[in-house]
């Protein structure tokens, strides 16, 4: 069986909320994202990380494009990069891209299906919706105390 995960992360990858704000935002996410089966509550994971983690769209990710030269970045290279940093996370967002050997920020890579980087994440498992609209994202950001964005993963 496969899962869909709708993640909400701060727009600033380094930012993390306090416990109270995180719980407030997670409660709002639960209200906005009903479960798939018989109105069952969705599973929500709230995570704080010491280092920046990659918030992946998994099988939704089709292509990564270099912001420096416009070339496609090999997904195998990206997988190896992710595997190398899976346990310890990222201490920097700077990366040397394989296509042109230029230095850029991971945030500037163009992901075909959005991906992100964060030290905090609210992950909503198998919600009965594909995404939050702009007003809902603004409300989640207000509850959290920081603007947010969303990542849709299919695992």
């Amino acid at each position: 069986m496969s899962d869909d995960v709708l993640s909400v992360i701060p727009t600033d990858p380094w930012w993390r909320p306090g416990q109270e704000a995180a719980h407030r935002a997670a409660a709002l996410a639960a209200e906005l994202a009903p479960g798939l089966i018989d109105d069952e509550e969705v599973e929500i994971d709230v995570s704080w990380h010491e280092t920046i983690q990659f918030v992946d769209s998994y099988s939704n990710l089709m292509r990564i494009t270099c912001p420096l030269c416009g070339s496609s970045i090999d997904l195998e290279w990206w997988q190896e990069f992710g595997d190398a940093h899976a346990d310890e996370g990222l201490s920097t967002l700077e990366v040397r891209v394989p296509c042109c050997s230029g230095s850029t920020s991971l945030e500037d890579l163009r992901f075909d299906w959005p991906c992100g980087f964060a030290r905090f994440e609210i992950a909503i498992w198998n919600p009965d919706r594909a995404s939050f609209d702009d007003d809902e994202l603004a409300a989640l950001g207000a509850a959290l105390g920081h603007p947010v964005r969303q990542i849709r993963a299919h695992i």
Side-chain angles (χ1 to χ4, degrees):
M1 181 175 156
S2 61
D3 289 303
D4 290 309
V5 182
L6 183 56
S7 292
V8 175
I9 60 173
T11 55
D12 176 353
W14 297 99
W15 188 86
R16 295 188 309 178
Q19 292 276 343
E20 186 176 312
H23 292 300
R24 191 171 47 243
L28 178 56
E31 285 179 33
L32 295 173
L36 287 175
I37 303 168
D38 298 325
D39 292 325
E40 181 180 313
E41 282 191 33
V42 295
E43 177 184 342
I44 296 182
D45 293 329
V46 179
S47 304
W48 286 263
H49 305 283
E50 290 301 315
T51 57
I52 294 176
Q53 302 294 310
F54 179 53
V55 182
D56 196 351
S57 60
Y58 290 91
S59 65
N60 287 338
L61 181 60
M62 296 291 137
R63 182 177 178 185
I64 304 170
T65 306
C66 176
L68 302 173
C69 68
S71 297
S72 288
I73 294 175
D74 184 60
L75 290 178
E76 185 175 313
W77 174 86
W78 181 249
Q79 180 66 44
E80 290 172 8
F81 179 86
D83 289 347
H85 294 91
D87 292 333
E88 76 276 1
L90 300 161
S91 59
T92 180
L93 292 175
E94 293 302 310
V95 66
R96 185 163 301 281
V97 288
C99 47
C100 62
S101 297
S103 182
T104 189
S105 172
L106 291 168
E107 288 186 293
D108 292 335
L109 297 177
R110 298 182 200 126
F111 295 95
D112 183 358
W113 272 80
C115 295
F117 303 89
R119 291 178 60 213
F120 174 79
E121 176 183 8
I122 298 172
I124 305 143
W125 289 80
N126 298 310
D128 191 18
R129 64 180 311 160
S131 63
F132 295 114
D133 66 29
D134 290 342
D135 291 338
E136 292 166 328
L137 285 174
L140 286 162
L144 198 60
H146 193 281
V148 297
R149 56 187 294 239
Q150 61 190 329
I151 308 297
R152 177 70 179 203
H154 183 74
I155 302 171

